[in-house]
Amino acid sequence: MFQTRPTLQGTFGMVSSTHWLASAAAMAVLEDGGNAYDAAVAGAFVLHVVEPHLNGPGGEVPMIIAPAGGTPKVLCGQGPAPAGATIEHYTSLGLDLVPGTGPLAAAVPGAVDAWLLLLHDHGTKPLREVLKYAISYAEDGHPAVDRVGATVETVRELFETEWTSSAALYLRDGRAPEPGEVIKNTALANTWRRLVTEAEAAGSGRETQIEAARKAWREGFVAEAIAKFAAKPTMDTSGERHSGTLTGADLAAFRATYEDPVTYTWNGWTIAKAGLWSQGPVFLQQLALLPEQLDYATPDYYHTLIEGTKLAMADREAWYGDSSDVDVQALLSPAYNESRRKLIGERASHELRPGSPDGREPRLSKHAQYVAGGGAVQSATGAGEPTVAKDGATRGDTCHLDVVDRWGNMVAATPSGGWLQSNPVIPELGFPLGTRLQMAWLDPGLPNSLAPGKRPRTTLTPSLASRDGVPVMAFGTPGGDQQDQWSAHFFLAVALREKVRSGLDLQGAIDAPNWHNDSFPGSFYPRAMVAGSVTVESRIGEDVIAGLENRGHVVTVGEPWSEGRLCAVARDPETGVLSAAANPRGMQGYAAGR
């Protein structure tokens, strides 16, 4: 099978991320004696600089870490809804959905505190050493990737007329950055430099300094600037100007937290995911719904995966959320999945069919109802890379970063939010707030209903796979609702195909033709869905396309390299050989290692 690149192999360290500069920075930290967690933090802060259309310090990050010899843990950097973010407040403004942009959509920023907590608890390097790469790229500049300028152009009018602080940064001389043009963010460099200065003023100890940086972020100059800016009336996707609900008290109260992952074992592989506050268990439900026999890459194979995804995503809509009272194990139980598997027939379903775990009746948002007998309620708007309407409506995207070091420490992280098109840039900080609250419903009484202190159900979903209790592979992808669809297909391509060079065929699995469907309410404003839809890369083959159409799927044939942006690293526990691979789509993701 054709591969765009080799699967990298070595014994010292491996990194894979969605931008080559982040991979290079993380690898530099490994070369300087740091471990996987030091490297991940350095790479993550670089991603904030070089992929501002995909993530930023005002966003969030879930990650799964596996210390050498230890068990996987989830580190949650998903901030909750502010204390003032009540359904009543939003509906009193005449809203029936949380806007897709603007400060009303901002949750408490969680990414920076999570990265600093990881560095404090599991890293070895001082803050200055891991931030120097991001500071350098922000201050001295970096070549803009193609999508930065393209994204800015889609919101040019909004920037020029309303979000003028964003125009000052991204429309220098009245034009968006050209591909390869060196762009700088001096304000962001100054933010990181001041954070380091205040941290080092607190004392000489590494941990003391990191804790001081966390406090400066949530209670000091950063928090003050964020709270002040969130209170400003700002144009959003509703077409009106609204102030946010985020306050200094909300910022001061947040701490990133650890929790146990949800796991499921399939064919000797145990996959760890974040809990029902994320869409992570969708991946596990897809595996639980699979039949015993799978003939890889046939029309039947794709049909089975697509139909299983629809069932898992329907359950996501009914049962997932930070206030869910459903035991996730009920959704993964053999009896439940045996009954759900019977719903997968010879024809494509055009209905949203959540199940009834423990005999409970599902409830859905009024925005998640299909017409009886099927049919699209709305048209889906874009997938993957951000698309932005004239009114500023945004489908933002995401980054991913995986690292494994020579000691066996492993991390998978999916940073996102705080995109340049999500909110105006805070001038003195150099970054905007995020919009993750758009994923919560304004219907009361649902697991994912908006409520103060609740995490909005996120699409961000890193993965970590073990065999015989030993972590083997960390992986993930950008892509919003597509993440667990693309990741599941990648994982099965690894698990069902032959190994290469005594290791996992990571690059071959990433390169394999991928797909996604939109037969469920999207997580991004305006929460669109298309019944029976599936989008495939043209490389998937005419026989598969015809086979899916004959089964009643509404097939859209995309460009040959348009679906999936996976990153992955792996470690063979028997030999210690490390592997890495990265997505070639978009010519931006790269792996590094030796």
Side-chain angles (χ1 to χ4, degrees):
M1 182 173 289
F2 170 76
Q3 283 187 207
T4 56
R5 311 164 179 171
T7 295
L8 304 184
Q9 289 190 308
T11 56
F12 180 81
M14 289 284 163
V15 179
S16 179
S17 86
T18 49
H19 196 291
W20 60 83
L21 292 180
S23 296
M27 194 65 208
V29 172
L30 292 180
E31 295 284 4
D32 195 41
N35 65 17
Y37 308 114
D38 298 312
V41 174
F45 278 87
V46 170
L47 287 173
H48 287 162
V49 178
V50 301
E51 293 191 326
H53 58 310
L54 304 179
N55 79 139
E60 48 275 322
V61 61
M63 60 185 92
I64 304 180
I65 65 171
T71 57
K73 282 283 187 182
V74 172
L75 203 172
C76 175
Q78 173 58 66
T86 64
I87 289 176
E88 293 74 20
H89 176 65
Y90 286 69
T91 56
S92 73
L93 298 172
L95 301 171
D96 62 352
L97 289 172
V98 177
T101 59
L104 267 184
V108 178
V112 170
D113 191 69
W115 288 117
L116 295 180
L117 180 62
L118 179 68
L119 184 65
H120 178 279
D121 291 352
H122 298 280
T124 65
K125 294 285 189 180
L127 184 62
R128 178 179 292 275
E129 286 299 307
V130 296
L131 285 187
K132 67 182 182 181
Y133 306 94
I135 291 172
S136 174
Y137 286 127
E139 184 168 55
D140 301 328
H142 61 91
V145 294
D146 295 12
R147 289 297 304 178
V148 171
T151 302
V152 171
E153 282 295 346
T154 62
V155 285
R156 169 187 284 278
E157 183 178 349
L158 181 68
F159 279 15
E160 290 177 336
T161 60
E162 296 283 346
W163 296 8
T164 54
S165 60
S166 298
L169 179 59
Y170 291 110
L171 287 171
R172 302 278 175 87
D173 301 321
R175 60 180 183 83
E178 296 288 336
E181 179 181 349
V182 174
I183 59 175
K184 301 178 182 180
N185 189 338
T186 305
L188 183 57
N190 290 339
T191 296
W192 297 143
R193 186 176 288 104
R194 182 173 174 183
L195 201 70
V196 171
T197 299
E198 294 197 10
E200 291 178 344
S204 60
R206 192 186 76 91
E207 291 82 4
T208 298
Q209 291 179 2
I210 296 170
E211 276 302 307
R214 294 178 72 193
K215 186 173 182 178
W217 173 267
R218 64 176 177 257
E219 299 178 29
F221 76 100
V222 177
E224 291 173 3
I226 288 175
K228 179 180 178 182
F229 208 80
K232 292 184 177 181
T234 300
M235 180 64 70
D236 58 39
T237 53
S238 71
E240 302 290 338
R241 297 181 184 89
H242 293 116
S243 300
T245 61
L246 187 62
T247 67
D250 297 313
L251 293 157
F254 177 74
R255 305 288 189 280
T257 55
Y258 296 100
E259 59 186 59
D260 291 330
V262 178
T263 61
Y264 183 78
T265 299
W266 178 85
N267 281 13
W269 292 84
T270 299
I271 311 298
K273 301 289 287 188
L276 290 173
W277 55 269
S278 77
Q279 75 171 3
V282 161
F283 185 104
L284 308 181
Q285 285 195 255
Q286 289 176 93
L287 295 182
L289 285 163
L290 292 175
E292 290 187 6
Q293 297 297 322
L294 282 171
D295 189 4
Y296 179 76
T298 61
D300 282 340
Y301 170 85
Y302 289 106
H303 172 74
T304 300
L305 291 186
I306 293 164
E307 293 303 295
T309 298
K310 293 176 185 177
L311 295 175
M313 285 295 197
D315 275 350
R316 184 192 77 167
E317 288 312 307
W319 304 114
Y320 287 29
D322 204 18
S323 64
S324 178
D325 58 359
V326 168
D327 185 348
V328 69
Q329 295 307 320
L331 295 170
L332 298 174
S333 68
Y336 180 73
N337 283 284
E338 182 179 354
S339 67
R340 296 284 279 164
R341 197 177 298 116
K342 293 176 182 177
L343 297 176
I344 301 176
E346 292 298 316
R347 300 286 296 172
S349 170
H350 287 223
E351 299 178 53
L352 193 66
R353 300 181 291 176
S356 300
D358 295 331
R360 302 176 185 227
E361 285 301 311
R363 285 189 59 220
L364 296 170
S365 165
K366 64 177 178 287
H367 294 277
Q369 306 291 338
Y370 273 134
V371 178
V377 177
Q378 304 179 65
S379 295
T381 56
E385 292 291 349
T387 61
V388 189
K390 291 182 179 179
D391 64 355
T394 299
R395 287 270 311 239
D397 207 344
T398 300
C399 309
H400 190 80
L401 174 70
D402 299 310
V403 187
V404 61
D405 62 29
R406 61 190 185 275
W407 301 287
N409 299 302
M410 193 175 291
V411 58
T414 311
S416 189
W419 316 296
L420 66 85
Q421 66 274 25
S422 63
N423 260 295
V425 167
I426 303 170
E428 57 265 56
L429 299 180
F431 63 83
L433 292 172
T435 55
R436 194 60 54 175
L437 291 188
Q438 68 180 294
M439 299 186 173
W441 295 114
L442 295 181
D443 310 62
L446 301 176
N448 190 35
S449 296
L450 180 70
K454 275 181 58 175
R455 293 169 290 190
R457 188 196 69 214
T458 182
T459 55
L460 307 176
T461 175
S463 304
L464 196 140
S466 300
R467 291 188 69 85
D468 301 320
V470 180
V472 171
M473 182 169 64
F475 60 100
T477 178
D481 296 309
Q482 286 73 50
Q483 288 182 29
D484 279 310
Q485 302 183 62
W486 290 340
S487 290
H489 183 56
F490 159 79
F491 170 74
L492 291 171
V494 170
L496 296 175
R497 302 198 309 183
E498 295 296 320
K499 294 182 177 181
V500 294
R501 298 203 307 273
S502 301
L504 300 174
D505 184 13
L506 301 183
Q507 192 64 54
I510 288 173
D511 289 351
N514 218 319
W515 56 272
H516 83 272
N517 86 88
D518 295 299
S519 297
F520 50 84
S523 294
F524 295 88
Y525 182 92
R527 314 305 295 268
M529 52 185 166
V530 179
S533 70
V534 62
T535 301
V536 302
E537 290 181 321
S538 60
R539 296 182 298 121
I540 209 165
E542 292 296 332
D543 58 331
V544 170
I545 293 169
L548 292 176
E549 290 177 335
N550 290 338
R551 289 165 173 81
H553 295 274
V554 181
V555 181
T556 298
V557 180
E559 293 297 317
W561 298 90
S562 55
E563 294 286 319
R565 286 184 297 287
L566 270 296
C567 299
V569 299
R571 179 179 182 272
D572 187 324
E574 295 183 2
T575 65
V577 170
L578 311 177
S579 302
N583 170 55
R585 299 163 179 88
M587 296 181 287
Q588 189 169 318
Y590 273 86
R594 71 169 177 88

